[in-house]
Amino acid sequence: MNSELKALYRDTLLKHSREPKNKRVLKDADAYFELKNPLCGDLITLYLKVSQRMVSEATFEAQCCSICMASASMLTEQITQSDIEGGIDFADSLIESLLQPGFSIATLENEDIQSLAGVKSFPSRIRCATLPWEAFKGAVSRLI
C-alpha cells in the first residue's frame, strides 16, 4: 500500500473515530446486541430499527478504541436502508477479508470501509475492526 493511500485511510479512520455517526441509544430499537472484546476491553452495543426486513435505523453506544469506534460508525452508515440479508452478506465479506490472508477488502464497494484494510498489518487490532460487524450479526440473529 503506497504512502498516499495509507494517509487517506488514516484520515478516514480518524474522521469516523473523532466524529462518529449515529453514536447514541435508539430507544425504540427492534433489536440490540452487546459485545465485548475481553482482550482489549472494547465494548459495543448496536441498536437496530427494522421494518419489513429492512434496517431503517442503526445506532451504537461504545467504550472502545478508535478503530472499533470508526468501524461502528461506518457500519451504521452502511447498513441503514439495506435489507437484513444484504447487511449480513456485507458483514461476512468484511470479516472474512480482514481475517483471511489473500482476501482483499478492496472488493467491498465502500471507500470509507476500505480504510479498515490497514488493520490487517496489525493482527491484534483486527478484532477491534470486526467487533461492530459481529454485533450486527448478533442483533439480526434475534430477528430471523
Side-chain angles (χ1 to χ4, degrees):
M1 190 180 309
N2 69 39
S3 61
E4 288 178 16
L5 191 55
K6 283 182 182 178
L8 174 65
Y9 283 176
R10 185 174 42 253
D11 290 346
T12 301
L13 286 173
L14 286 173
K15 177 185 84 172
H16 275 279
S17 68
R18 290 180 180 157
E19 299 172 15
K21 309 292 187 213
N22 306 305
K23 186 176 185 260
R24 66 188 188 306
V25 174
L26 184 59
K27 297 207 185 267
D28 58 347
D30 296 309
Y32 71 93
F33 197 81
E34 182 178 279
L35 200 54
K36 183 174 185 173
N37 180 353
L39 297 176
C40 69
D42 286 348
L43 175 65
I44 184 165
T45 305
L46 185 72
Y47 302 93
L48 300 174
K49 187 76 177 157
V50 178
S51 177
Q52 298 178 351
R53 303 195 58 77
M54 296 287 291
V55 177
S56 59
E57 192 170 3
T59 69
F60 73 98
E61 284 186 297
Q63 293 177 354
C64 59
C65 69
S66 60
I67 292 171
C68 186
M69 184 74 68
S71 185
S73 175
M74 292 176 205
L75 171 135
T76 61
E77 290 190 310
Q78 176 68 34
I79 64 170
T80 298
Q81 304 306 317
S82 72
D83 63 89
I84 290 174
E85 290 77 14
I88 292 169
D89 289 345
F90 193 93
D92 286 341
S93 295
L94 173 70
I95 292 167
E96 184 175 22
S97 71
L98 290 174
L99 293 175
Q100 299 297 323
F103 282 81
S104 174
I105 198 168
T107 60
L108 301 176
E109 296 177 6
N110 181 312
E111 289 181 19
D112 279 3
I113 290 174
Q114 289 175 7
S115 69
L116 294 171
V119 302
K120 284 187 90 160
S121 301
F122 305 94
S124 65
R125 303 306 302 271
I126 291 172
R127 177 87 166 132
C128 301
T130 62
L131 195 70
W133 300 88
E134 292 164 5
F136 167 69
K137 290 175 61 176
V140 295
S141 71
R142 294 178 171 180
L143 298 170
I144 296 175

